[in-house]
Amino acid sequence: MTIKGLGKFGVWAHPVQPVLFSAEGAREVENLGYGTLWLGGSPEAGLTVVEPLLEATESLIVGTSIVNIWSAPAREVAESFHRIDKRFPGRFVLGIGAGHPEVTDVYRKPYDALVEYLDVLDDAGVPKERRALAALGPRVLKLARDRTAGALPYLTTAEHTRQAREILGPDALLVAEHKVVVDTDPVRARATARPKVEHYLKLQNYTANLKRLGFADEDIEFPGSDRLIDALALHGTADQVADSLVAHLAAGADQVAVQAAADDFLPTLRELAPALAERV
């Protein structure tokens, strides 16, 4: 289900990029034409980071990507959702996910835990159409389809988007994150991108998904082959990067969440914005 105002292109940002978690950063994202600001990392259950961003903007959608079900109790998150939605109706999307077994001491079967978490959100009145699920594999994609607005896959390719759309069906929301480097020097671009990718090559849910997409063990071996980095962090001119991002839309995504891999990321978003605007 398409969320009104989401836009074809959004921005994915991590808390280590505090500029985009500021009022000024959110306003610039909106003024550049990006429809959504997706907050990476694992926001705490109070979701206190969300409201200042909504206060600073007029129509920008803010979404979590993702609230970690192990660290943020569902009932507290539901209370936060209702608080935010009351003040800013329709402008907040609650993205949740199971995170990674490698980085939490409290872990059991993630699918079962997700189902139980969604049950609590149901009981607390968080509407299906205002929440989404971080999903990569077929089983969790089906859960996203059946129990939420749709899926928020991370560290994927346009081929994954195509496969995900087949599983989700025509109506579910599909927002694909993709990293970018606006740089025509491939060696320099890979050097910029690799630190933003290599961490995930130690996490089994991502490596399993990359293998499903056809990458070999030697591609996935830390710190990742050039082939893998080129696929997961697009580089080239702004027009070339924009064309590659549009491939997600052609494959069935409702939106692409753009993550600038450069540490000085705002120039990337500024340079890319006109090229993306020409393609919607």
Side-chain angles (χ1 to χ4, degrees):
M1 57 188 72
T2 302
I3 295 174
K4 185 178 179 181
L6 201 69
K8 292 297 184 183
F9 296 99
V11 170
W12 193 101
H14 195 277
V16 298
Q17 300 169 322
V19 172
L20 291 186
F21 282 73
S22 68
E24 294 78 8
R27 277 195 294 269
E28 178 154 12
V29 166
E30 182 175 57
N31 291 337
L32 286 171
Y34 297 99
T36 309
L37 177 55
W38 294 99
L39 309 181
S42 301
E44 42 78 36
L47 301 178
T48 54
V49 67
V50 174
E51 283 150 305
L53 304 175
L54 293 170
E55 287 171 352
T57 53
E58 296 182 5
S59 60
L60 187 72
I61 304 293
V62 174
T64 53
S65 180
I66 59 174
V67 168
N68 191 307
I69 65 170
W70 308 112
S71 60
R75 204 154 293 276
E76 292 179 33
V77 169
E79 291 173 359
S80 299
F81 171 87
H82 288 302
R83 184 192 75 239
I84 296 167
D85 194 56
K86 183 177 180 179
R87 290 190 62 196
F88 304 97
R91 291 183 60 199
F92 174 61
V93 180
L94 176 63
I96 68 167
H100 319 291
E102 297 87 349
V103 295
T104 180
D105 294 329
V106 183
Y107 207 86
R108 53 194 177 85
K109 289 184 178 180
Y111 184 88
D112 294 342
L114 284 168
V115 170
E116 292 176 13
Y117 202 95
L118 291 168
D119 288 343
V120 175
L121 294 183
D122 282 343
D123 185 63
V126 177
K128 172 181 175 179
E129 63 271 15
R130 304 305 307 176
R131 66 195 194 204
L133 190 59
L136 290 173
R139 194 179 186 205
V140 183
L141 283 167
K142 291 175 183 176
L143 182 65
R145 176 195 65 198
D146 296 340
R147 299 290 304 275
T148 76
L152 309 173
Y154 184 89
L155 202 73
T156 65
T157 64
E159 173 57 24
H160 181 273
T161 296
R162 184 191 65 77
Q163 295 176 15
R165 177 51 71 195
E166 290 181 357
I167 294 168
L168 291 168
D171 299 324
L173 176 71
L174 178 54
V175 177
E177 177 270 349
H178 213 127
K179 296 166 182 59
V180 301
V181 182
V182 179
D183 192 336
T184 57
D185 182 324
V187 175
R188 190 169 57 217
R190 290 177 193 129
T192 299
R194 188 168 266 111
K196 300 299 191 298
V197 173
E198 61 187 11
H199 163 71
Y200 299 103
L201 303 182
K202 299 178 180 180
L203 302 175
Q204 64 184 26
N205 57 334
Y206 289 113
T207 56
N209 188 59
L210 292 170
K211 288 179 181 179
R212 282 194 296 267
L213 291 172
F215 290 100
D217 289 341
E218 54 266 31
D219 290 314
I220 298 168
E221 184 179 355
F222 185 89
S225 69
D226 288 351
R227 171 177 176 253
L228 180 73
I229 300 302
D230 289 349
L232 298 179
L234 305 169
H235 68 263
T237 66
D239 282 324
Q240 289 169 333
V241 169
D243 285 340
S244 295
L245 291 172
V246 168
H248 280 285
L249 301 179
D254 295 293
Q255 185 192 69
V256 185
V258 179
Q259 182 180 174
D263 290 333
D264 188 10
F265 49 87
L266 278 175
T268 298
L269 298 177
R270 292 169 187 146
E271 189 170 0
L272 199 54
L276 296 176
E278 293 175 355
R279 289 159 173 79
V280 295

PDB file of all heavy atoms in Angstrom, residues 147-180:
ATOM      1  N   ARG A 147       1.068  -8.441   7.467  1.00  0.00           N
ATOM      2  CA  ARG A 147       0.838  -7.828   8.771  1.00  0.00           C
ATOM      3  C   ARG A 147       1.202  -6.346   8.840  1.00  0.00           C
ATOM      4  O   ARG A 147       0.989  -5.717   9.875  1.00  0.00           O
ATOM      5  CB  ARG A 147       1.640  -8.578   9.847  1.00  0.00           C
ATOM      6  CG  ARG A 147       1.305 -10.048  10.033  1.00  0.00           C
ATOM      7  CD  ARG A 147      -0.064 -10.236  10.666  1.00  0.00           C
ATOM      8  NE  ARG A 147      -0.190  -9.551  11.935  1.00  0.00           N
ATOM      9  CZ  ARG A 147       0.183 -10.029  13.117  1.00  0.00           C
ATOM     10  NH1 ARG A 147       0.729 -11.235  13.206  1.00  0.00           N
ATOM     11  NH2 ARG A 147       0.003  -9.322  14.227  1.00  0.00           N
ATOM     12  N   THR A 148       1.768  -5.796   7.761  1.00  0.00           N
ATOM     13  CA  THR A 148       2.175  -4.390   7.766  1.00  0.00           C
ATOM     14  C   THR A 148       1.868  -3.770   6.408  1.00  0.00           C
ATOM     15  O   THR A 148       1.382  -4.445   5.492  1.00  0.00           O
ATOM     16  CB  THR A 148       3.674  -4.224   8.074  1.00  0.00           C
ATOM     17  OG1 THR A 148       4.455  -4.572   6.925  1.00  0.00           O
ATOM     18  CG2 THR A 148       4.109  -5.069   9.259  1.00  0.00           C
ATOM     19  N   ALA A 149       2.209  -2.491   6.274  1.00  0.00           N
ATOM     20  CA  ALA A 149       2.064  -1.837   4.969  1.00  0.00           C
ATOM     21  C   ALA A 149       2.987  -2.456   3.940  1.00  0.00           C
ATOM     22  O   ALA A 149       2.672  -2.488   2.744  1.00  0.00           O
ATOM     23  CB  ALA A 149       2.361  -0.341   5.097  1.00  0.00           C
ATOM     24  N   GLY A 150       4.159  -2.952   4.380  1.00  0.00           N
ATOM     25  CA  GLY A 150       5.092  -3.547   3.438  1.00  0.00           C
ATOM     26  C   GLY A 150       6.492  -3.642   4.000  1.00  0.00           C
ATOM     27  O   GLY A 150       6.695  -3.686   5.219  1.00  0.00           O
ATOM     28  N   ALA A 151       7.498  -3.652   3.105  1.00  0.00           N
ATOM     29  CA  ALA A 151       8.858  -4.032   3.465  1.00  0.00           C
ATOM     30  C   ALA A 151       9.858  -2.908   3.244  1.00  0.00           C
ATOM     31  O   ALA A 151       9.721  -2.099   2.319  1.00  0.00           O
ATOM     32  CB  ALA A 151       9.281  -5.258   2.656  1.00  0.00           C
ATOM     33  N   LEU A 152      10.908  -2.923   4.107  1.00  0.00           N
ATOM     34  CA  LEU A 152      12.000  -1.959   4.040  1.00  0.00           C
ATOM     35  C   LEU A 152      13.324  -2.719   3.931  1.00  0.00           C
ATOM     36  O   LEU A 152      14.110  -2.766   4.877  1.00  0.00           O
ATOM     37  CB  LEU A 152      12.023  -1.079   5.300  1.00  0.00           C
ATOM     38  CG  LEU A 152      10.714  -0.399   5.719  1.00  0.00           C
ATOM     39  CD1 LEU A 152      10.884   0.276   7.078  1.00  0.00           C
ATOM     40  CD2 LEU A 152      10.280   0.610   4.665  1.00  0.00           C
ATOM     41  N   PRO A 153      13.612  -3.332   2.800  1.00  0.00           N
ATOM     42  CA  PRO A 153      14.875  -4.075   2.669  1.00  0.00           C
ATOM     43  C   PRO A 153      16.085  -3.152   2.627  1.00  0.00           C
ATOM     44  O   PRO A 153      16.012  -2.032   2.129  1.00  0.00           O
ATOM     45  CB  PRO A 153      14.710  -4.826   1.346  1.00  0.00           C
ATOM     46  CG  PRO A 153      13.698  -4.047   0.581  1.00  0.00           C
ATOM     47  CD  PRO A 153      12.773  -3.444   1.594  1.00  0.00           C
ATOM     48  N   TYR A 154      17.209  -3.654   3.164  1.00  0.00           N
ATOM     49  CA  TYR A 154      18.444  -2.877   3.297  1.00  0.00           C
ATOM     50  C   TYR A 154      19.587  -3.692   2.697  1.00  0.00           C
ATOM     51  O   TYR A 154      19.623  -4.915   2.823  1.00  0.00           O
ATOM     52  CB  TYR A 154      18.704  -2.594   4.776  1.00  0.00           C
ATOM     53  CG  TYR A 154      19.897  -1.712   5.057  1.00  0.00           C
ATOM     54  CD1 TYR A 154      19.766  -0.328   5.101  1.00  0.00           C
ATOM     55  CD2 TYR A 154      21.160  -2.262   5.273  1.00  0.00           C
ATOM     56  CE1 TYR A 154      20.858   0.492   5.367  1.00  0.00           C
ATOM     57  CE2 TYR A 154      22.252  -1.462   5.533  1.00  0.00           C
ATOM     58  CZ  TYR A 154      22.097  -0.081   5.582  1.00  0.00           C
ATOM     59  OH  TYR A 154      23.193   0.718   5.827  1.00  0.00           O
ATOM     60  N   LEU A 155      20.548  -2.988   2.085  1.00  0.00           N
ATOM     61  CA  LEU A 155      21.743  -3.600   1.491  1.00  0.00           C
ATOM     62  C   LEU A 155      21.346  -4.617   0.411  1.00  0.00           C
ATOM     63  O   LEU A 155      21.696  -5.789   0.472  1.00  0.00           O
ATOM     64  CB  LEU A 155      22.602  -4.262   2.563  1.00  0.00           C
ATOM     65  CG  LEU A 155      24.077  -4.456   2.188  1.00  0.00           C
ATOM     66  CD1 LEU A 155      24.826  -3.129   2.209  1.00  0.00           C
ATOM     67  CD2 LEU A 155      24.759  -5.461   3.124  1.00  0.00           C
ATOM     68  N   THR A 156      20.612  -4.125  -0.568  1.00  0.00           N
ATOM     69  CA  THR A 156      20.119  -5.013  -1.615  1.00  0.00           C
ATOM     70  C   THR A 156      20.414  -4.429  -2.993  1.00  0.00           C
ATOM     71  O   THR A 156      21.064  -3.397  -3.133  1.00  0.00           O
ATOM     72  CB  THR A 156      18.604  -5.227  -1.471  1.00  0.00           C
ATOM     73  OG1 THR A 156      17.927  -3.987  -1.685  1.00  0.00           O
ATOM     74  CG2 THR A 156      18.261  -5.766  -0.102  1.00  0.00           C
ATOM     75  N   THR A 157      19.919  -5.110  -3.992  1.00  0.00           N
ATOM     76  CA  THR A 157      20.077  -4.711  -5.390  1.00  0.00           C
ATOM     77  C   THR A 157      18.709  -4.630  -6.051  1.00  0.00           C
ATOM     78  O   THR A 157      17.700  -5.056  -5.479  1.00  0.00           O
ATOM     79  CB  THR A 157      20.930  -5.743  -6.145  1.00  0.00           C
ATOM     80  OG1 THR A 157      20.211  -7.003  -6.154  1.00  0.00           O
ATOM     81  CG2 THR A 157      22.288  -5.947  -5.470  1.00  0.00           C
ATOM     82  N   ALA A 158      18.688  -4.128  -7.279  1.00  0.00           N
ATOM     83  CA  ALA A 158      17.423  -4.070  -8.018  1.00  0.00           C
ATOM     84  C   ALA A 158      16.869  -5.470  -8.273  1.00  0.00           C
ATOM     85  O   ALA A 158      15.649  -5.651  -8.354  1.00  0.00           O
ATOM     86  CB  ALA A 158      17.616  -3.322  -9.332  1.00  0.00           C
ATOM     87  N   GLU A 159      17.738  -6.466  -8.380  1.00  0.00           N
ATOM     88  CA  GLU A 159      17.261  -7.832  -8.549  1.00  0.00           C
ATOM     89  C   GLU A 159      16.521  -8.301  -7.300  1.00  0.00           C
ATOM     90  O   GLU A 159      15.489  -8.969  -7.398  1.00  0.00           O
ATOM     91  CB  GLU A 159      18.421  -8.775  -8.853  1.00  0.00           C
ATOM     92  CG  GLU A 159      18.060 -10.258  -8.887  1.00  0.00           C
ATOM     93  CD  GLU A 159      16.953 -10.609  -9.882  1.00  0.00           C
ATOM     94  OE1 GLU A 159      16.737  -9.861 -10.862  1.00  0.00           O
ATOM     95  OE2 GLU A 159      16.288 -11.649  -9.669  1.00  0.00           O
ATOM     96  N   HIS A 160      17.014  -7.944  -6.128  1.00  0.00           N
ATOM     97  CA  HIS A 160      16.277  -8.276  -4.903  1.00  0.00           C
ATOM     98  C   HIS A 160      14.927  -7.576  -4.899  1.00  0.00           C
ATOM     99  O   HIS A 160      13.910  -8.153  -4.486  1.00  0.00           O
ATOM    100  CB  HIS A 160      17.068  -7.880  -3.661  1.00  0.00           C
ATOM    101  CG  HIS A 160      16.356  -8.220  -2.388  1.00  0.00           C
ATOM    102  ND1 HIS A 160      15.444  -7.368  -1.791  1.00  0.00           N
ATOM    103  CD2 HIS A 160      16.377  -9.338  -1.603  1.00  0.00           C
ATOM    104  CE1 HIS A 160      14.959  -7.938  -0.702  1.00  0.00           C
ATOM    105  NE2 HIS A 160      15.502  -9.133  -0.557  1.00  0.00           N
ATOM    106  N   THR A 161      14.893  -6.323  -5.340  1.00  0.00           N
ATOM    107  CA  THR A 161      13.629  -5.592  -5.408  1.00  0.00           C
ATOM    108  C   THR A 161      12.629  -6.329  -6.297  1.00  0.00           C
ATOM    109  O   THR A 161      11.445  -6.446  -5.959  1.00  0.00           O
ATOM    110  CB  THR A 161      13.873  -4.170  -5.924  1.00  0.00           C
ATOM    111  OG1 THR A 161      14.689  -3.466  -4.975  1.00  0.00           O
ATOM    112  CG2 THR A 161      12.578  -3.415  -6.134  1.00  0.00           C
ATOM    113  N   ARG A 162      13.108  -6.826  -7.438  1.00  0.00           N
ATOM    114  CA  ARG A 162      12.221  -7.563  -8.346  1.00  0.00           C
ATOM    115  C   ARG A 162      11.663  -8.809  -7.652  1.00  0.00           C
ATOM    116  O   ARG A 162      10.454  -9.094  -7.716  1.00  0.00           O
ATOM    117  CB  ARG A 162      12.984  -7.961  -9.605  1.00  0.00           C
ATOM    118  CG  ARG A 162      12.127  -8.655 -10.667  1.00  0.00           C
ATOM    119  CD  ARG A 162      12.965  -9.263 -11.769  1.00  0.00           C
ATOM    120  NE  ARG A 162      13.806 -10.343 -11.274  1.00  0.00           N
ATOM    121  CZ  ARG A 162      13.366 -11.560 -11.002  1.00  0.00           C
ATOM    122  NH1 ARG A 162      12.072 -11.864 -11.159  1.00  0.00           N
ATOM    123  NH2 ARG A 162      14.188 -12.490 -10.569  1.00  0.00           N
ATOM    124  N   GLN A 163      12.541  -9.555  -6.984  1.00  0.00           N
ATOM    125  CA  GLN A 163      12.096 -10.764  -6.292  1.00  0.00           C
ATOM    126  C   GLN A 163      11.145 -10.426  -5.140  1.00  0.00           C
ATOM    127  O   GLN A 163      10.153 -11.127  -4.915  1.00  0.00           O
ATOM    128  CB  GLN A 163      13.308 -11.529  -5.772  1.00  0.00           C
ATOM    129  CG  GLN A 163      14.221 -12.071  -6.865  1.00  0.00           C
ATOM    130  CD  GLN A 163      15.471 -12.736  -6.301  1.00  0.00           C
ATOM    131  OE1 GLN A 163      15.556 -13.042  -5.116  1.00  0.00           O
ATOM    132  NE2 GLN A 163      16.469 -12.952  -7.152  1.00  0.00           N
ATOM    133  N   ALA A 164      11.467  -9.358  -4.422  1.00  0.00           N
ATOM    134  CA  ALA A 164      10.623  -8.958  -3.292  1.00  0.00           C
ATOM    135  C   ALA A 164       9.233  -8.557  -3.767  1.00  0.00           C
ATOM    136  O   ALA A 164       8.224  -8.894  -3.130  1.00  0.00           O
ATOM    137  CB  ALA A 164      11.281  -7.815  -2.530  1.00  0.00           C
ATOM    138  N   ARG A 165       9.160  -7.846  -4.873  1.00  0.00           N
ATOM    139  CA  ARG A 165       7.851  -7.435  -5.391  1.00  0.00           C
ATOM    140  C   ARG A 165       7.015  -8.649  -5.766  1.00  0.00           C
ATOM    141  O   ARG A 165       5.793  -8.662  -5.528  1.00  0.00           O
ATOM    142  CB  ARG A 165       8.038  -6.505  -6.597  1.00  0.00           C
ATOM    143  CG  ARG A 165       6.736  -6.075  -7.272  1.00  0.00           C
ATOM    144  CD  ARG A 165       5.714  -5.511  -6.285  1.00  0.00           C
ATOM    145  NE  ARG A 165       6.093  -4.201  -5.771  1.00  0.00           N
ATOM    146  CZ  ARG A 165       5.531  -3.642  -4.710  1.00  0.00           C
ATOM    147  NH1 ARG A 165       4.591  -4.272  -4.018  1.00  0.00           N
ATOM    148  NH2 ARG A 165       5.927  -2.444  -4.300  1.00  0.00           N
ATOM    149  N   GLU A 166       7.626  -9.667  -6.305  1.00  0.00           N
ATOM    150  CA  GLU A 166       6.885 -10.880  -6.650  1.00  0.00           C
ATOM    151  C   GLU A 166       6.280 -11.513  -5.398  1.00  0.00           C
ATOM    152  O   GLU A 166       5.142 -12.001  -5.423  1.00  0.00           O
ATOM    153  CB  GLU A 166       7.808 -11.882  -7.352  1.00  0.00           C
ATOM    154  CG  GLU A 166       8.228 -11.460  -8.757  1.00  0.00           C
ATOM    155  CD  GLU A 166       9.121 -12.491  -9.419  1.00  0.00           C
ATOM    156  OE1 GLU A 166       9.448 -13.513  -8.761  1.00  0.00           O
ATOM    157  OE2 GLU A 166       9.508 -12.283 -10.582  1.00  0.00           O
ATOM    158  N   ILE A 167       7.032 -11.505  -4.308  1.00  0.00           N
ATOM    159  CA  ILE A 167       6.541 -12.095  -3.062  1.00  0.00           C
ATOM    160  C   ILE A 167       5.495 -11.201  -2.410  1.00  0.00           C
ATOM    161  O   ILE A 167       4.464 -11.676  -1.912  1.00  0.00           O
ATOM    162  CB  ILE A 167       7.717 -12.343  -2.103  1.00  0.00           C
ATOM    163  CG1 ILE A 167       8.654 -13.413  -2.677  1.00  0.00           C
ATOM    164  CG2 ILE A 167       7.220 -12.746  -0.713  1.00  0.00           C
ATOM    165  CD1 ILE A 167       9.979 -13.528  -1.953  1.00  0.00           C
ATOM    166  N   LEU A 168       5.732  -9.899  -2.412  1.00  0.00           N
ATOM    167  CA  LEU A 168       4.836  -8.958  -1.746  1.00  0.00           C
ATOM    168  C   LEU A 168       3.511  -8.786  -2.475  1.00  0.00           C
ATOM    169  O   LEU A 168       2.510  -8.409  -1.879  1.00  0.00           O
ATOM    170  CB  LEU A 168       5.516  -7.592  -1.619  1.00  0.00           C
ATOM    171  CG  LEU A 168       6.692  -7.492  -0.651  1.00  0.00           C
ATOM    172  CD1 LEU A 168       7.435  -6.186  -0.860  1.00  0.00           C
ATOM    173  CD2 LEU A 168       6.215  -7.607   0.787  1.00  0.00           C
ATOM    174  N   GLY A 169       3.535  -9.037  -3.782  1.00  0.00           N
ATOM    175  CA  GLY A 169       2.348  -8.756  -4.573  1.00  0.00           C
ATOM    176  C   GLY A 169       2.305  -7.295  -4.975  1.00  0.00           C
ATOM    177  O   GLY A 169       3.184  -6.497  -4.612  1.00  0.00           O
ATOM    178  N   PRO A 170       1.288  -6.894  -5.721  1.00  0.00           N
ATOM    179  CA  PRO A 170       1.272  -5.554  -6.309  1.00  0.00           C
ATOM    180  C   PRO A 170       0.949  -4.423  -5.351  1.00  0.00           C
ATOM    181  O   PRO A 170       1.227  -3.255  -5.661  1.00  0.00           O
ATOM    182  CB  PRO A 170       0.191  -5.668  -7.383  1.00  0.00           C
ATOM    183  CG  PRO A 170      -0.749  -6.724  -6.855  1.00  0.00           C
ATOM    184  CD  PRO A 170       0.133  -7.708  -6.157  1.00  0.00           C
ATOM    185  N   ASP A 171       0.382  -4.722  -4.198  1.00  0.00           N
ATOM    186  CA  ASP A 171      -0.189  -3.655  -3.367  1.00  0.00           C
ATOM    187  C   ASP A 171       0.658  -3.259  -2.160  1.00  0.00           C
ATOM    188  O   ASP A 171       0.477  -2.166  -1.622  1.00  0.00           O
ATOM    189  CB  ASP A 171      -1.583  -4.080  -2.882  1.00  0.00           C
ATOM    190  CG  ASP A 171      -2.542  -4.319  -4.033  1.00  0.00           C
ATOM    191  OD1 ASP A 171      -2.450  -3.590  -5.042  1.00  0.00           O
ATOM    192  OD2 ASP A 171      -3.370  -5.241  -3.931  1.00  0.00           O
ATOM    193  N   ALA A 172       1.553  -4.117  -1.713  1.00  0.00           N
ATOM    194  CA  ALA A 172       2.334  -3.819  -0.509  1.00  0.00           C
ATOM    195  C   ALA A 172       3.403  -2.769  -0.787  1.00  0.00           C
ATOM    196  O   ALA A 172       3.932  -2.664  -1.897  1.00  0.00           O
ATOM    197  CB  ALA A 172       2.988  -5.090   0.024  1.00  0.00           C
ATOM    198  N   LEU A 173       3.722  -2.008   0.233  1.00  0.00           N
ATOM    199  CA  LEU A 173       4.780  -1.007   0.156  1.00  0.00           C
ATOM    200  C   LEU A 173       6.138  -1.686   0.030  1.00  0.00           C
ATOM    201  O   LEU A 173       6.410  -2.688   0.696  1.00  0.00           O
ATOM    202  CB  LEU A 173       4.762  -0.139   1.417  1.00  0.00           C
ATOM    203  CG  LEU A 173       5.869   0.914   1.556  1.00  0.00           C
ATOM    204  CD1 LEU A 173       5.638   2.052   0.569  1.00  0.00           C
ATOM    205  CD2 LEU A 173       5.917   1.440   2.993  1.00  0.00           C
ATOM    206  N   LEU A 174       7.011  -1.128  -0.815  1.00  0.00           N
ATOM    207  CA  LEU A 174       8.375  -1.632  -0.953  1.00  0.00           C
ATOM    208  C   LEU A 174       9.319  -0.444  -1.091  1.00  0.00           C
ATOM    209  O   LEU A 174       9.276   0.286  -2.083  1.00  0.00           O
ATOM    210  CB  LEU A 174       8.487  -2.560  -2.166  1.00  0.00           C
ATOM    211  CG  LEU A 174       9.875  -3.126  -2.481  1.00  0.00           C
ATOM    212  CD1 LEU A 174      10.483  -3.829  -1.265  1.00  0.00           C
ATOM    213  CD2 LEU A 174       9.801  -4.081  -3.674  1.00  0.00           C
ATOM    214  N   VAL A 175      10.149  -0.241  -0.067  1.00  0.00           N
ATOM    215  CA  VAL A 175      11.141   0.836  -0.063  1.00  0.00           C
ATOM    216  C   VAL A 175      12.521   0.188   0.004  1.00  0.00           C
ATOM    217  O   VAL A 175      12.843  -0.496   0.977  1.00  0.00           O
ATOM    218  CB  VAL A 175      10.951   1.788   1.131  1.00  0.00           C
ATOM    219  CG1 VAL A 175      12.052   2.857   1.145  1.00  0.00           C
ATOM    220  CG2 VAL A 175       9.572   2.438   1.085  1.00  0.00           C
ATOM    221  N   ALA A 176      13.329   0.400  -1.037  1.00  0.00           N
ATOM    222  CA  ALA A 176      14.646  -0.222  -1.125  1.00  0.00           C
ATOM    223  C   ALA A 176      15.736   0.797  -0.810  1.00  0.00           C
ATOM    224  O   ALA A 176      15.827   1.833  -1.461  1.00  0.00           O
ATOM    225  CB  ALA A 176      14.859  -0.789  -2.530  1.00  0.00           C
ATOM    226  N   GLU A 177      16.557   0.507   0.205  1.00  0.00           N
ATOM    227  CA  GLU A 177      17.714   1.357   0.509  1.00  0.00           C
ATOM    228  C   GLU A 177      18.850   1.049  -0.457  1.00  0.00           C
ATOM    229  O   GLU A 177      19.070  -0.111  -0.828  1.00  0.00           O
ATOM    230  CB  GLU A 177      18.181   1.094   1.943  1.00  0.00           C
ATOM    231  CG  GLU A 177      19.419   1.871   2.356  1.00  0.00           C
ATOM    232  CD  GLU A 177      20.735   1.147   2.062  1.00  0.00           C
ATOM    233  OE1 GLU A 177      20.696  -0.069   1.726  1.00  0.00           O
ATOM    234  OE2 GLU A 177      21.794   1.788   2.133  1.00  0.00           O
ATOM    235  N   HIS A 178      19.577   2.104  -0.885  1.00  0.00           N
ATOM    236  CA  HIS A 178      20.780   1.871  -1.694  1.00  0.00           C
ATOM    237  C   HIS A 178      21.803   2.963  -1.417  1.00  0.00           C
ATOM    238  O   HIS A 178      21.464   4.154  -1.364  1.00  0.00           O
ATOM    239  CB  HIS A 178      20.452   1.836  -3.186  1.00  0.00           C
ATOM    240  CG  HIS A 178      21.336   0.882  -3.934  1.00  0.00           C
ATOM    241  ND1 HIS A 178      20.854  -0.115  -4.756  1.00  0.00           N
ATOM    242  CD2 HIS A 178      22.701   0.754  -3.966  1.00  0.00           C
ATOM    243  CE1 HIS A 178      21.862  -0.808  -5.261  1.00  0.00           C
ATOM    244  NE2 HIS A 178      22.998  -0.291  -4.796  1.00  0.00           N
ATOM    245  N   LYS A 179      23.056   2.540  -1.262  1.00  0.00           N
ATOM    246  CA  LYS A 179      24.149   3.471  -1.014  1.00  0.00           C
ATOM    247  C   LYS A 179      24.675   4.031  -2.329  1.00  0.00           C
ATOM    248  O   LYS A 179      24.654   3.340  -3.354  1.00  0.00           O
ATOM    249  CB  LYS A 179      25.270   2.764  -0.248  1.00  0.00           C
ATOM    250  CG  LYS A 179      24.836   2.305   1.129  1.00  0.00           C
ATOM    251  CD  LYS A 179      25.824   1.326   1.727  1.00  0.00           C
ATOM    252  CE  LYS A 179      25.320   0.849   3.076  1.00  0.00           C
ATOM    253  NZ  LYS A 179      23.998   0.190   2.975  1.00  0.00           N
ATOM    254  N   VAL A 180      25.155   5.267  -2.279  1.00  0.00           N
ATOM    255  CA  VAL A 180      25.635   5.920  -3.501  1.00  0.00           C
ATOM    256  C   VAL A 180      26.897   6.729  -3.213  1.00  0.00           C
ATOM    257  O   VAL A 180      27.104   7.225  -2.101  1.00  0.00           O
ATOM    258  CB  VAL A 180      24.566   6.859  -4.105  1.00  0.00           C
ATOM    259  CG1 VAL A 180      23.285   6.100  -4.437  1.00  0.00           C
ATOM    260  CG2 VAL A 180      24.266   8.023  -3.175  1.00  0.00           C
TER     261      VAL A 180
END
